[in-house]
Amino acid sequence: QKVSVEVLDHLEHLALVDFRDSEGVERLQKAIQFADQLHEVNTDGVEPMDSVLEDRCLYLREDDVTEGNCTKELLENARGTVEEYFVAPPGNIPLEKLQGRNTYLQGS
Amino acid sequence: QVSAALKEGRVTPTELCQRCLALIKSTKFLNAYITVTEEAALKQAEESEERYKKGQPLGILDGIPIAVKDNFNTAGIETTCASKMLKGYISPYNATVVQKLLDRGAVLLGKTNLDEFAMGSGSTDGIFGPVRNPWSYSKQYKEKSVPKSHSEDKESDWVITGGSSGGSAAAVSSFTCFAALGSDTGGSTRNPAAHCGVVGLKPTYGLISRHGLIPLVNSMDVPGILTRCVDDAAVLLGSLAGHDPKDSTTIQDDFKPFELPDLTDVSKLSIGIPKEYNAPGLSSEILALWSKAADLFKNAGAKVVEVSLPHTRYSIVCYHVLCTAEVASNMARFDGLEYGHRSDVKDSTESMYAATRREGFNDVVRGRILSGNYFLLKQNYEKYFVKAQKVRRLIANDFVKVFRSGVDILLTPTTLSDAAPYTEFIQEDNRTRSAQDDILTQAANMAGLPAINVPTALSERGLPVGLQFIGRSFQEKQLLTVAKWFEKQVQFPVIQLEEVKRHDNGVCQHQKSASFS
């Protein structure tokens, strides 16, 4: 089954990354096809595995401040800063719906 | 050997450093390095020299030139991951493994080339171009090449290094450094090690800190070690392993660095040969070599048994789902706001993020992010992601069963064939190639087990072929001991590079020496 344009659009929204061209969409189709092989395996009664170290306790340290004071270094790598703030364009404006966006999917 | 030379004063750290830097310049066509930190390296070498003069070297690594893959953070040095997204990004800190090496006096020569964000099996998909395998220019390869009618064709004959730590493997293989750091998520250290004829060690997950290693798949990534011989790998492991409070996925057990014994009696060893690793596409040459190696152990008195890891063929599919899912999550941090590339689009946060990511990532990265997001969609989560996690457990259990049955070490091929020519390799896309090439190395990452590639012999085309040993969790000493024994038996030939001008035969000796320990 081919992935619907709605799902493709949804993915572009979620990932904030575009398919760019038909090759991109093909790539996803092939990836899904490839992953479908998983369904051949019988996993009844098997617990999902999150980590190979699951038999051990996670290391937690004391909640004490041991490092910091590196504001200057952290701000250095950003392109848009004002005093000690990172500057971002206005938020709360969702990415335009498919009709408005200049994206490959619009043509499909 | 080089370390002893430094101690005895037969060669100084600055001389060593300068020779390596000169060699890097003359092997520039390999494109193994993205950044060469000439000034800093010379300064470190000078400091090391002072320490040797006072008779107070910091240890066996003092003054030894090393290289680091460009997905490790290095303070004050550009760290790009071969991606436009991080071009120009100067790390504010050192990755723990880098810091440990520097603390022991190692001289950092530069950052090596890789596939963009360590995604790939050829070291061909980074923005700085592909890395060329030094063996393409070796006497051994040239002798076996079919002579071409035009001289320009010689240029296009070169073979790939494998990936994604191709730059690191090429750097070690071409003598520009004595050891290099790579990363291993699906075979990214062992694959190029096999193609470049060097030792590639993937330690047990949780042994070496990942703090500062730009993550790909949090549950499978490990820093990898590339050296010219197994003893060197043990030395590097000794310096890097151990709990790091900055990486909570490192185990808290005490780690004691070890020296490898010279094994003479293998009769107490049980070597397992997993039959599923005779995968479709495995070249007959490598199959024969694998068989020969098994016989080697048998004739020396070890117990060699065929074993089964039934879920092997699903490991690559499982990896595909889990990797893309974790990648989708890990790449979300690149939005242009705090670091890295930032687009000029200013209309809204989301459109800026989207534009930044469109401009910064290449097709491979974008493809994986989108696939990962697909598998993580609510309607797909159980079907794909959780399913893959269950299959992962089955794969890990396969190994547990085999090791529990008395097998000490598994012996498998590392790659399906010797290195392919670049022109042939790029005919298939990255995902297909990765799926093909990672088949033999991937399962060790799934289960978190230690694995090592040991260069074994030259193929009919004159290119290196390696074999892989997989050991039990945290049993690196046993794994490396067996690997060292094997290395001694096979006597892998030294690369004979022709196009690199050699100056002084005396120091040449030190550089060509296989080890620094």
Side-chain angles (χ1 to χ4, degrees):
Chain A
Q1 307 132 306
K2 285 199 141 238
V3 182
S4 69
V5 177
E6 286 80 36
V7 174
L8 291 176
D9 181 42
H10 185 50
L11 287 176
E12 280 198 343
H13 261 101
L14 282 177
L16 286 183
V17 152
D18 64 332
F19 283 99
R20 193 154 309 178
D21 52 28
S22 64
E23 224 184 284
V25 178
E26 250 317 288
R27 204 174 284 134
L28 176 66
Q29 291 286 160
K30 285 208 196 107
I32 301 172
Q33 224 176 344
F34 189 64
D36 278 332
Q37 289 175 71
L38 276 181
H39 300 119
E40 294 167 17
V41 187
N42 183 343
T43 53
D44 291 338
V46 182
E47 284 294 302
M49 180 185 238
D50 292 313
S51 162
V52 291
L53 300 175
E54 58 187 5
D55 293 330
R56 295 171 184 258
C57 273
L58 186 66
Y59 167 73
L60 291 174
R61 64 182 183 125
E62 289 303 311
D63 191 9
D64 295 322
V65 176
T66 53
E67 49 178 35
N69 281 327
C70 49
T71 322
K72 187 164 146 298
E73 285 92 337
L74 292 178
L75 290 172
E76 252 165 20
N77 273 307
R79 263 184 60 184
T81 54
V82 162
E83 289 179 12
E84 290 190 349
Y85 292 90
F86 290 112
V87 179
N92 263 338
I93 305 174
L95 208 58
E96 285 171 42
K97 293 234 172 281
L98 191 57
Q99 292 76 16
R101 282 205 329 273
N102 180 18
T103 159
Y104 162 72
L105 290 178
Q106 204 180 29
S108 29
Chain B
Q1 291 161 329
V2 146
S3 199
L6 284 172
K7 230 174 169 172
E8 291 164 23
R10 279 184 277 142
V11 68
T12 67
T14 38
E15 260 172 19
L16 202 57
C17 183
Q18 277 162 349
R19 300 252 172 225
C20 284
L21 288 171
L23 199 55
I24 293 177
K25 285 204 183 87
S26 58
T27 51
K28 212 151 179 230
F29 54 89
L30 293 177
N31 202 14
Y33 287 82
I34 295 178
T35 309
V36 181
T37 51
E38 198 166 325
E39 271 177 41
L42 285 170
K43 184 153 168 288
Q44 286 164 21
E46 274 163 21
E47 289 168 5
S48 171
E49 202 163 313
E50 283 304 303
R51 290 191 289 266
Y52 273 106
K53 278 204 190 117
K54 292 200 193 113
Q56 294 167 347
L58 292 168
I60 204 174
L61 283 178
D62 205 339
I64 303 288
I66 51 146
V68 165
K69 188 174 177 183
D70 209 13
N71 59 354
F72 284 91
N73 275 287
T74 40
I77 303 172
E78 193 181 358
T79 299
T80 63
C81 294
S83 173
K84 200 158 161 241
M85 187 59 90
L86 285 179
K87 193 146 182 264
Y89 167 68
I90 312 275
S91 319
Y93 70 106
N94 274 325
T96 299
V97 288
V98 173
Q99 191 62 54
K100 283 191 172 181
L101 289 176
L102 292 176
D103 285 343
R104 283 163 179 73
V107 173
L108 178 63
L109 293 174
K111 311 295 290 297
T112 57
N113 206 349
L114 59 154
D115 277 308
E116 183 159 339
F117 277 111
M119 299 190 200
S121 60
S123 298
T124 49
D125 279 320
I127 57 166
F128 297 101
V131 185
R132 299 185 183 203
N133 193 328
W135 284 83
S136 319
Y137 302 97
S138 69
K139 195 156 159 230
Q140 291 107 326
Y141 177 62
K142 288 189 173 167
E143 274 170 359
K144 302 286 179 90
S145 304
V146 176
K148 295 266 162 75
S149 44
H150 308 287
S151 58
E152 311 98 82
D153 279 343
K154 192 173 86 142
E155 264 306 298
S156 58
D157 246 359
W158 58 273
V159 296
I160 56 164
T161 49
S164 57
S165 314
S168 288
V172 174
S173 173
S174 57
F175 304 106
T176 57
C177 63
F178 285 82
L181 287 183
S183 69
D184 197 314
T185 307
S188 297
T189 293
R190 293 160 285 156
N191 181 299
H195 286 313
C196 293
V198 294
V199 171
L201 170 65
K202 171 210 166 299
T204 313
Y205 179 83
L207 187 61
I208 300 189
S209 170
R210 288 181 299 114
H211 175 74
L213 167 60
I214 296 178
L216 189 63
V217 181
N218 299 66
S219 65
M220 295 183 224
D221 283 351
V222 286
I225 295 171
L226 292 139
T227 55
R228 289 199 276 276
C229 71
V230 179
D231 273 323
D232 287 355
V235 170
L236 244 326
L237 184 70
S239 313
L240 298 177
H243 177 67
D244 180 13
K246 293 187 187 167
D247 178 358
S248 61
T249 57
T250 52
I251 57 160
Q252 287 175 263
D253 300 358
D254 267 328
F255 176 79
K256 290 190 191 57
F258 49 78
E259 250 186 55
L260 294 176
D262 266 313
L263 193 63
T264 42
D265 174 25
V266 294
S267 59
K268 297 195 191 60
L269 264 184
S270 172
I271 309 283
I273 310 286
K275 61 183 185 187
E276 289 85 0
Y277 276 66
N278 186 350
L282 185 66
S283 84
S284 48
E285 254 190 321
I286 299 196
L287 185 59
L289 216 60
W290 186 20
S291 203
K292 218 165 142 193
D295 288 338
L296 192 72
F297 278 101
K298 206 181 291 175
N299 294 336
K303 182 163 159 232
V304 178
V305 284
E306 192 190 71
V307 294
S308 174
L309 296 168
H311 295 95
T312 301
R313 66 192 192 91
Y314 293 107
S315 127
I316 199 72
V317 185
C318 186
Y319 174 68
H320 167 72
V321 174
L322 293 179
C323 173
T324 48
E326 292 215 33
V327 159
S329 166
N330 279 322
M331 294 297 132
R333 72 191 68 193
F334 297 108
D335 52 22
L337 214 45
E338 294 115 334
Y339 42 74
H341 176 67
R342 177 175 173 153
S343 145
D344 290 325
V345 168
K346 297 199 214 15
D347 315 331
S348 70
T349 325
E350 282 203 9
S351 60
M352 188 278 271
Y353 288 178
T356 300
R357 292 155 74 82
R358 181 169 56 243
E359 294 162 20
F361 291 139
N362 74 359
D363 289 341
V364 180
V365 180
R366 282 190 359 263
R368 291 202 192 187
I369 295 174
L370 288 163
S371 304
N373 275 104
Y374 180 81
F375 297 130
L376 291 171
L377 286 175
K378 202 157 64 168
Q379 67 257 38
N380 294 329
Y381 196 80
E382 275 286 331
K383 229 171 58 157
Y384 290 100
F385 185 66
V386 177
K387 180 83 183 181
Q389 287 190 308
K390 293 182 179 177
V391 175
R392 181 174 185 179
R393 182 179 295 283
L394 290 174
I395 293 170
N397 282 346
D398 277 355
F399 281 102
V400 170
K401 281 195 205 114
V402 164
F403 284 127
R404 208 170 275 165
S405 74
V407 168
D408 299 306
I409 304 270
L410 294 170
L411 168 63
T412 78
T414 315
T415 51
L416 294 175
S417 67
D418 56 5
Y422 177 69
T423 43
E424 197 184 294
F425 186 79
I426 50 173
Q427 306 231 348
E428 289 278 1
D429 72 274
N430 186 294
R431 194 189 58 80
T432 317
R433 282 296 179 205
S434 298
Q436 292 165 346
D437 300 331
D438 287 344
I439 252 176
L440 302 167
T441 48
Q442 211 296 303
N445 294 85
M446 277 284 158
L449 299 171
I452 186 170
N453 169 75
V454 180
T456 308
L458 291 183
S459 70
E460 263 174 32
R461 283 164 65 214
L463 294 172
V465 167
L467 289 177
Q468 173 178 235
F469 292 92
I470 306 177
R472 297 176 193 206
S473 263
F474 302 106
Q475 301 303 314
E476 271 80 355
K477 184 166 180 193
Q478 183 184 51
L479 179 68
L480 290 171
T481 304
V482 175
K484 181 174 165 176
W485 180 86
F486 184 70
E487 177 188 57
K488 202 159 158 206
Q489 305 302 311
V490 297
Q491 298 282 313
F492 184 75
V494 176
I495 184 177
Q496 287 161 17
L497 283 172
E498 293 186 311
E499 285 171 25
V500 179
K501 294 265 183 297
R502 297 252 165 223
H503 308 288
D504 180 353
N505 254 328
V507 186
C508 214
Q509 199 66 2
H510 295 299
Q511 270 186 284
K512 261 200 163 167
S513 71
S515 75
F516 55 73
S517 48

